[in-house]
Amino acid sequence: MLTRCLCGCCWALRPRYKRLVDNIFPEDPEDGLVKANMEKLTFFALSAPEKLDRIAAYLLERLTRDLNRHRYGYVCIAMEALEQLLLACHCQSINLLVESFLSTLRLLLEADKPHLHILATNSFVKFANIEEDTPSYHRSYDFFVSRFSEMCHSEHDDPGTQNKIRVSGIRGLQGVVRKTVDNELQVNIWEPRHMEQIVPALLVNLEQHTPNDSGSPAEQTEVCFRELLGRAAYGHINNAIRPVLMHLDSHSLWEGRGFAVRCFQIIMYSIQSQHSHLVIQQLLGHLDANSRSPASVRAGIVEVLSEAAVIEATGSVGPTVLEVFNTLLRQLRQSVDYQLTGYYDNAGKHKTTSSKEETLQDAVIRTIGSFANTLPVYQRSEVMLFIMGKIPVPGIYPALGSPNAGFEGSRMIQVMLLKSLLQVSERYESSNLLTALPSSFLEPLLSFTLMEDPEIRLLVLSILTSLIDRRHNAARLSGATASAAFDVSSLELKEDRSSRQDILFVRKHAQRLYRHVFLACKEESSSHSHYQQLFILLAVLSVELANEEVMVDLIRLVLALQELASSNQEPLTPLNRCGVHAVCAAALGVMSQLGPPSPVQQHVAQVIERRRKDAPHLLPENIFCDSHRHKTTTETPGSCRGLWRDEDRLAKRKSVGDVVSLQMEMDPQSPETPQKPQTEQITFETLKNAIEDRGFVEEEERRKRLEVVERFQTAPFEEIAAHCGSRASLLQSKLDQVFDLIIRPPPSPSGQSPPRSTPLYEMKFPDLCVY
């Protein structure tokens, strides 16, 4: 008993490892660690590794005593000694030191001195960089995750100290990730309870990023965040992304677009490319979860989706490609409902505006295009068919959207889905037109060229042009529509011979396409943009399908259009007639220059030059260009409206109805003759009303047209045939009445009716009769 007391009191009788440890501490802590004695301690530790745990425990004892006495100089020396021992020990012996080392760090992190926190973090980072071969089954880093995350949120009064503490916390989290991510026997850092602490701590500092701010917490955070995501395996992505979404929600960071987009740019560039579709799926699910959120929030999520899709182009969207577009299209339909009702919830408590919903709709349409551009060609074809199947058609999808949407809601959805289709088609590249425009896609698309809405028709023409224009000549042509006499060779058009598939497309679908182009030119609501787009479509067709058969058909189409515009029997507006003439001039100008020089080219040039002098309102420069569009609406001598009014008056004077009525007016009845029932005067209105009875208002006419479309789409063939037969009989009877009125002679002055003359159309002429 006496010997033990003497050993405790006499320094020389103390264990050697304690004497070696005591020797590394100088009398004045400012002198720092005694290096010579530290080398002796290190050599002893390497020679007797079984003493490492005792050495570490004694160092911890001394550090705790100095810490309680506020002797921070000796605390720093003790930490330096522990670090050197960790670095010097072999990997097999490091576990003997680690437990005491981590306990020492806990003591420093629990103190209320910022410099001790920084000291402990630096030591932990050095420890994290040491590779260990021997696994450890009992270590726990939960305390360090919580403490380092708390340091990242530091609100110290001194800005400089606050930055230092935050940077230390970020570096500490980075060390925890490095130490644990590759060791499955230690704590699973990817568990939600850890990610929900680490990720928000990083995002808080990432949000304070400023350019050219080297060494700031934001810069260190980005490095740590990228490393964390780069180490994430397939099963860890969702746990890492979910806290990001929660943080953006709770801090209202979707609005404003800047930080949310930058955050996900870091994510998409950091994770492995084969895992990027998991991030897309997380964003899509979050978009659905926020379907009742304000439009600005939904628009922010959609913008992030769009940016993520562009970055993800090198990866894959994943197996649920159509589900991506289905979600986006569903957001479009919901946005239409919200825009029409003025509320973004069913309860009618939260208001929204049309401008906000339109911003969201534009973002969704851009995102659809971004996603489509990441897909291979065959999947883009499927996406276009999928979108086409979602477009509401009257009589087929009458209940699309909410019941309150009605006709206007369906029209808005039609426009937005066609805009989405245009986004996909603009970058669609296919080797042949049979693949780009299959029957299942072309037929419903062409049916929309006959819609009353001019915006819908313009979108359809743009979609057709973009799909046919495989060599990207449309952009050159649209820039050259200011003149009908431009030189096609200056456009450097890319022209190749038609492939076998293109020839098959022409023989199968060309006539239907030409017919719809012809009908589109007759639409009263067509504007300058429609005729410019019609010209570009015809020019692209002539360039893409450069063969004799196509050129002959296109020239026939143009001549038919010119005849349409010149005829007085078609009820075209002045703008229609001028627009069709301009399309014909510009299209023939292109077609005549595609082949070798010919008389046609010279003739077209002469006609255009003659029009420039006598009828400039029939040239493309006065129809297609914005700077001249006002000319067609004024009644100046050179405008098409004033000119056509004169032509209309001349046509009326030459009508058969006016001749008959004039004849009747010149034969007044004698007062002596008994009064006969007055013969009906044949005027233009009489003929018009005899052929077509317009007794209903415009709304009723539109409703009837919709009923006719629905009947022809849903009724049996026998019913349609019977209906058409009855209509033909009715029309024939009305035509008989018209002809009977036309050929009826004027009343005789004697009051006796002259014998009925043989109608002209019933006369039989000899075979050799010369007219």
Side-chain angles (χ1 to χ4, degrees):
M1 187 69 179
L2 180 61
T3 305
R4 292 180 181 177
C5 293
L6 291 174
C7 291
C9 296
C10 182
W11 184 86
L13 299 178
R14 303 184 70 186
R16 185 182 178 188
Y17 74 90
K18 287 189 176 182
R19 283 183 280 130
L20 292 173
V21 169
D22 291 338
N23 289 336
I24 66 174
F25 291 93
E27 293 184 1
D28 187 357
E30 293 183 0
D31 295 337
L33 183 69
V34 181
K35 296 183 178 180
N37 293 336
M38 186 64 211
E39 291 177 358
K40 295 179 182 179
L41 176 62
T42 303
F43 179 78
F44 176 79
L46 295 175
S47 302
E50 69 277 2
K51 299 292 182 67
L52 275 174
D53 56 343
R54 298 182 184 180
I55 295 173
Y58 185 60
L59 278 171
L60 174 61
E61 180 184 342
R62 287 209 53 161
L63 184 144
T64 304
R65 183 173 62 249
D66 293 333
L67 183 62
N68 293 333
R69 295 175 180 177
H70 304 289
R71 300 167 64 179
Y72 300 119
Y74 289 117
V75 172
C76 295
I77 293 173
M79 285 304 306
E80 185 178 357
L82 280 171
E83 292 172 8
Q84 293 192 20
L85 287 174
L86 280 171
L87 296 174
C89 291
H90 296 291
C91 295
Q92 293 82 357
S93 306
I94 197 172
N95 283 334
L96 299 175
L97 277 173
V98 169
E99 202 58 43
S100 298
F101 174 75
L102 295 179
S103 300
T104 303
L105 296 182
R106 291 191 189 95
L107 287 176
L108 298 181
L109 292 172
E110 288 174 349
D112 57 352
K113 299 296 182 181
H115 69 280
L116 296 180
H117 301 166
I118 298 172
L119 175 65
T121 303
N122 294 336
S123 297
F124 184 85
V125 171
K126 294 177 183 177
F127 163 68
N129 292 329
I130 299 175
E131 296 183 1
E132 299 183 56
D133 294 335
T134 305
S136 176
Y137 300 92
H138 58 277
R139 290 185 198 164
S140 174
Y141 295 96
D142 293 1
F143 169 79
F144 295 98
V145 172
S146 300
R147 192 68 187 94
F148 290 144
S149 299
E150 184 180 348
M151 291 170 63
C152 293
H153 294 276
S154 174
E155 296 292 343
H156 199 277
D157 296 335
D158 180 33
T161 304
Q162 174 183 306
N163 285 343
K164 291 180 180 179
I165 296 175
R166 290 194 172 195
V167 170
S168 296
I170 295 166
R171 295 179 66 242
L173 290 176
Q174 189 175 12
V176 172
V177 173
R178 290 178 180 176
K179 200 64 180 175
T180 61
V181 73
D182 296 326
N183 193 340
E184 297 180 357
L185 298 176
Q186 295 180 1
V187 61
N188 185 3
I189 200 66
W190 301 108
E191 291 181 358
R193 60 191 180 95
H194 295 308
M195 286 290 103
E196 290 173 3
Q197 296 181 66
I198 295 175
V199 173
L202 297 176
L203 295 181
V204 165
N205 292 279
L206 187 64
E207 189 179 351
Q208 300 177 355
H209 174 76
T210 55
N212 302 324
D213 191 5
S214 179
S216 65
E219 183 181 9
Q220 187 66 37
T221 297
E222 185 171 343
V223 174
C224 180
F225 199 32
R226 290 182 181 275
E227 183 175 351
L228 173 68
L229 296 167
R231 294 173 178 266
Y234 181 86
H236 303 149
I237 295 294
N238 290 341
N239 289 343
I241 300 302
R242 192 176 296 112
V244 177
L245 301 175
M246 295 171 59
H247 180 83
L248 296 175
D249 285 342
S250 59
H251 291 80
S252 302
L253 295 175
W254 293 111
E255 305 175 13
R257 183 179 181 272
F259 176 72
V261 170
R262 180 171 176 269
C263 183
F264 273 90
Q265 284 176 341
I266 294 174
I267 293 173
M268 297 300 294
Y269 281 121
S270 301
I271 63 175
Q272 302 176 42
S273 60
Q274 65 268 25
H275 301 159
S276 57
H277 68 277
L278 295 176
V279 180
I280 302 297
Q281 290 177 354
Q282 284 278 83
L283 285 169
L284 288 170
H286 198 67
L287 180 59
D288 276 339
N290 283 271
S291 60
R292 302 291 181 186
S293 298
S296 56
V297 174
R298 286 176 278 136
I301 300 175
V302 171
E303 289 285 354
V304 171
L305 268 170
S306 179
E307 294 292 333
V310 173
I311 299 172
E312 195 225 11
T314 56
S316 61
V317 176
T320 57
V321 175
L322 296 182
E323 183 59 30
V324 173
F325 294 94
N326 194 35
T327 300
L328 293 173
L329 295 180
R330 184 166 57 247
Q331 290 297 321
L332 277 179
R333 292 196 296 270
Q334 290 178 349
S335 178
V336 169
D337 294 341
Y338 298 158
Q339 183 175 352
L340 293 175
T341 60
Y343 297 91
Y344 60 84
D345 61 338
N346 291 331
K349 296 181 179 179
H350 304 284
K351 292 185 178 181
T352 187
T353 61
S354 295
S355 60
K356 293 180 180 179
E357 295 297 335
E358 288 172 359
T359 302
L360 167 65
Q361 293 157 12
D362 293 340
V364 172
I365 292 171
R366 288 195 303 270
T367 304
I368 290 175
S370 299
F371 270 111
N373 293 333
T374 67
L375 301 175
V377 174
Y378 75 94
Q379 283 190 329
R380 294 189 198 182
S381 300
E382 294 178 359
V383 169
M384 289 194 294
L385 283 172
F386 180 75
I387 296 175
M388 178 61 70
K390 295 289 185 179
I391 300 178
V393 178
I396 299 180
Y397 305 112
L400 187 67
S402 69
N404 298 327
F407 176 79
E408 179 62 19
S410 297
R411 190 201 68 83
M412 292 171 63
I413 295 175
Q414 286 173 343
V415 170
M416 284 184 287
L417 293 184
L418 287 173
K419 286 182 178 179
S420 304
L421 200 57
L422 180 60
Q423 286 283 325
V424 180
S425 64
E426 282 179 341
R427 298 187 183 180
Y428 180 83
E429 296 181 359
S430 178
S431 58
N432 61 81
L433 293 179
L434 276 178
T435 304
L437 291 167
S439 300
S440 57
F441 179 80
L442 180 61
E443 292 181 2
L445 183 64
L446 288 177
S447 65
F448 284 102
T449 60
L450 305 179
M451 297 288 289
E452 294 182 2
D453 192 286
E455 186 177 5
I456 291 177
R457 296 200 308 273
L458 184 60
L459 286 170
V460 173
L461 292 175
S462 301
I463 293 169
L464 283 170
T465 303
S466 61
L467 291 175
I468 296 174
D469 183 31
R470 296 165 296 177
R471 300 172 181 86
H472 308 292
N473 292 318
R476 301 179 179 90
L477 289 167
S478 62
T481 55
S483 174
F486 59 83
D487 186 7
V488 173
S489 61
S490 64
L491 299 178
E492 299 180 357
L493 296 176
K494 300 177 181 178
E495 182 179 351
D496 298 330
R497 293 184 61 86
S498 300
S499 63
R500 179 175 175 272
Q501 291 82 0
D502 291 344
I503 295 174
L504 290 176
F505 172 82
V506 170
R507 294 175 179 175
K508 187 176 182 181
H509 301 296
Q511 295 303 321
R512 184 184 298 107
L513 178 60
Y514 300 154
R515 176 177 176 271
H516 281 81
V517 170
F518 182 84
L519 295 176
C521 290
K522 299 171 60 176
E523 293 291 339
E524 295 183 3
S525 58
S526 294
S527 64
H528 308 268
S529 300
H530 290 80
Y531 291 109
Q532 181 183 18
Q533 195 62 47
L534 282 166
F535 155 67
I536 296 174
L537 176 58
L538 292 175
V540 167
L541 280 170
S542 61
V543 173
E544 291 288 336
L545 305 173
N547 60 64
E548 294 181 0
E549 180 182 354
V550 174
M551 293 304 296
V552 170
D553 287 341
L554 286 175
I555 291 175
R556 287 175 177 171
L557 173 61
V558 172
L559 294 178
L561 288 173
Q562 187 166 277
E563 183 179 357
L564 169 70
S566 303
S567 174
N568 294 332
Q569 298 178 358
E570 293 290 341
L572 300 181
T573 65
L575 177 59
N576 288 143
R577 298 186 187 276
C578 295
V580 174
H581 278 299
V583 169
C584 294
L588 285 175
V590 172
M591 295 176 191
S592 63
Q593 298 181 55
L594 290 178
S598 63
V600 176
Q601 181 176 350
Q602 183 179 1
H603 175 71
V604 170
Q606 292 175 353
V607 172
I608 290 175
E609 187 62 28
R610 181 67 179 273
R611 284 188 181 181
R612 185 168 284 108
K613 295 179 180 178
D614 300 335
H617 54 278
L618 302 181
L619 292 177
E621 48 259 44
N622 285 337
I623 298 297
F624 298 160
C625 300
D626 294 335
S627 59
H628 297 282
R629 290 183 180 178
H630 66 280
K631 292 185 178 180
T632 59
T633 59
T634 58
E635 297 185 9
T636 58
S639 68
C640 63
R641 183 179 295 275
L643 176 64
W644 202 256
R645 284 187 172 181
D646 294 338
E647 294 179 1
D648 286 342
R649 287 192 291 269
L650 180 62
K652 286 183 178 181
R653 284 199 298 269
K654 292 182 179 179
S655 66
V656 177
D658 283 348
V659 172
V660 175
S661 72
L662 180 62
Q663 180 184 6
M664 295 177 66
E665 290 177 0
M666 293 178 64
D667 294 324
Q669 294 181 346
S670 173
E672 291 82 13
T673 58
Q675 198 73 356
K676 299 284 185 177
Q678 187 175 0
T679 305
E680 180 183 1
Q681 292 187 359
I682 308 302
T683 62
F684 176 75
E685 291 297 329
T686 305
L687 294 174
K688 184 177 178 182
N689 293 332
I691 296 175
E692 182 179 5
D693 185 13
R694 295 185 174 271
F696 298 98
V697 295
E698 184 180 353
E699 182 66 22
E700 186 68 17
E701 291 179 353
R702 184 180 61 79
R703 185 186 63 80
K704 284 187 175 183
R705 284 195 294 270
L706 295 179
E707 290 179 356
V708 171
V709 172
E710 183 177 2
R711 183 184 300 115
F712 274 86
Q713 290 174 342
T714 59
F717 175 77
E718 293 78 6
E719 181 181 342
I720 296 174
H723 177 73
C724 292
S726 62
R727 294 282 296 178
S729 301
L730 179 61
L731 178 60
Q732 184 62 43
S733 63
K734 290 188 176 183
L735 287 174
D736 292 340
Q737 296 175 9
V738 172
F739 291 144
D740 184 61
L741 292 172
I742 292 175
I743 65 173
R744 180 185 301 167
S748 173
S750 60
Q752 299 177 357
S753 299
R756 181 179 182 273
S757 61
T758 304
L760 182 64
Y761 61 88
E762 292 183 1
M763 291 182 180
K764 294 184 179 180
F765 297 93
D767 295 338
L768 299 179
C769 180
V770 179
Y771 293 87

